[in-house]
Amino acid sequence: SVVSTQSTGFAGGCDKSVKMWDLNANSFTQVAAHDAPVKTVNWVQAPGYQCIMTGSWDKTLKFWDTRQSQPMMTINCEERVYASDVLYPAAVVVLAGRKVKVLSLENQPTVLHTSEPPLRYQLRDISIFKKDGKPSGYGVCSIEGRAAIEPFDPNTSNSKDKFTFKCHRSVNSDHNKPQEIYSVNGIKFHPTYGTLATVGSDGKFAFWDKDARTKLKGSEQLDNTITSCDFNHNGMLFAYASSYDWSKGYMYHNPQQKNYIFVRQVKDELKPRKK
């Protein structure tokens, strides 16, 4: 997992450490460690503190002041951390076993509740969306060719921000033929428009309007699966990574196939359509 500020990047991986990358000096310094591979790294910019939040397969979530060798706080989780997102003052964390933790980052990180989205298979990615300028819910995607939109309030049952939708599936005119269902590997909300992007094992990206519940745009298929995606700070650029995601096992791995990162200028492609 990789996250960056204006002049610094942070990266965690299977060596169980997180390294800080000084982009100006092109130097690396270890700033965090876990007892198992590090799956997520997020930057937290709060009024009273700043830190990185790291999640690991050692079933912990840790918060680090990069000037200190020990974490500021450790939150023990029921399962391995698979994905996370931060949009102050909120944070969300996906765990193995289809669990999602919602945290408040005000004053100090606190777990508000743990829930289970209405998706039946392994969760892959998560992203926070805003309503009236404030974080109010999240989108989460899974390996079953489906994504879910969930409000932060677990007691909300009739909200328009609570539903699931199918995506990254083959389109068959012959209903007697089986439908191919692909893993949805990434989901991200546009920072300005509140629309969202998904990417999947079908080698495609798609843009969606969750409020209108419509698809804004689909893409051509790449030669490889798409494993992750994100927008830049103002939503003008959309980046997505193409590499094998092991969704079909080692038999389909081609070591000769190159990995790519694509950057697309999206402009108004994610702008909601007028009603």
Side-chain angles (χ1 to χ4, degrees):
S1 181
V2 179
V3 67
S4 66
T5 60
Q6 288 185 339
S7 60
T8 308
F10 298 91
C14 289
D15 65 354
K16 308 176 188 177
S17 71
V18 177
K19 293 181 174 62
M20 181 170 64
W21 180 13
D22 186 323
L23 301 178
N24 295 323
N26 195 26
S27 61
F28 294 84
T29 306
Q30 182 173 329
V31 293
H34 281 266
D35 295 328
V38 179
K39 189 64 174 69
T40 66
V41 184
N42 298 91
W43 177 254
V44 177
Q45 183 68 54
Y49 67 96
Q50 59 183 23
C51 67
I52 56 171
M53 181 182 81
T54 61
S56 167
W57 288 353
D58 67 5
K59 303 181 183 181
T60 65
L61 195 65
K62 296 184 178 183
F63 297 82
W64 305 82
D65 180 333
T66 57
R67 300 165 296 182
Q68 306 293 329
S69 59
Q70 296 299 316
M72 302 161 47
M73 175 181 286
T74 298
I75 294 176
N76 293 312
C77 302
E78 304 94 303
E79 257 291 359
R80 291 155 290 166
V81 175
Y82 278 176
S84 62
D85 191 26
V86 168
L87 186 61
Y88 188 83
V92 287
V93 181
V94 166
L95 306 179
R98 299 183 295 113
K99 295 289 193 296
V100 172
K101 281 190 179 298
V102 176
L103 291 82
S104 170
L105 301 176
E106 289 187 284
N107 300 321
Q108 69 173 19
T110 305
V111 176
L112 299 179
H113 60 83
T114 303
S115 60
E116 190 173 306
L119 299 173
R120 292 177 291 177
Y121 298 95
Q122 184 190 100
L123 306 180
R124 294 285 290 156
D125 197 19
I126 194 165
S127 182
I128 297 173
F129 64 83
K130 293 185 290 186
K131 190 173 185 178
D132 299 326
K134 297 179 181 180
S136 64
Y138 60 85
V140 63
C141 57
S142 77
I143 62 171
E144 62 177 296
R146 193 186 297 267
I149 305 298
E150 289 283 298
F152 281 148
D153 185 354
N155 298 317
T156 303
S157 59
N158 59 352
S159 169
K160 68 175 183 178
D161 289 332
K162 187 178 179 65
F163 63 94
T164 66
F165 64 97
K166 297 176 182 178
C167 50
H168 299 279
R169 300 181 176 210
S170 63
V171 179
N172 292 335
S173 56
D174 185 352
H175 296 294
N176 294 319
K177 290 184 178 180
Q179 184 181 46
E180 291 188 54
I181 299 175
Y182 298 92
S183 171
V184 188
N185 294 326
I187 184 169
K188 288 292 181 290
F189 281 93
H190 192 278
T192 303
Y193 297 135
T195 48
L196 67 143
T198 59
V199 298
S201 292
D202 56 353
K204 298 178 182 179
F205 65 79
F207 300 154
W208 310 85
D209 183 338
K210 76 170 179 62
D211 295 329
R213 302 195 184 187
T214 58
K215 187 176 184 178
L216 298 174
K217 181 181 179 65
S219 75
E220 297 294 321
Q221 186 173 16
L222 299 181
D223 293 333
N224 211 344
T225 57
I226 302 179
T227 53
S228 61
C229 66
D230 209 349
F231 293 100
N232 73 326
H233 70 285
N234 61 10
M236 294 296 288
L237 300 176
F238 175 65
Y240 53 102
S242 173
S243 63
Y244 186 51
D245 65 356
W246 301 94
S247 57
K248 293 185 177 181
Y250 74 92
M251 304 84 71
Y252 285 82
H253 176 234
N254 179 5
Q256 307 302 319
Q257 197 165 30
K258 294 183 178 179
N259 302 327
Y260 293 97
I261 295 177
F262 297 94
V263 179
R264 179 184 182 89
Q265 196 169 24
V266 290
K267 294 184 179 179
D268 291 334
E269 288 181 344
L270 283 105
K271 191 173 184 179
R273 292 174 184 158
K274 293 181 180 179
K275 297 180 181 179

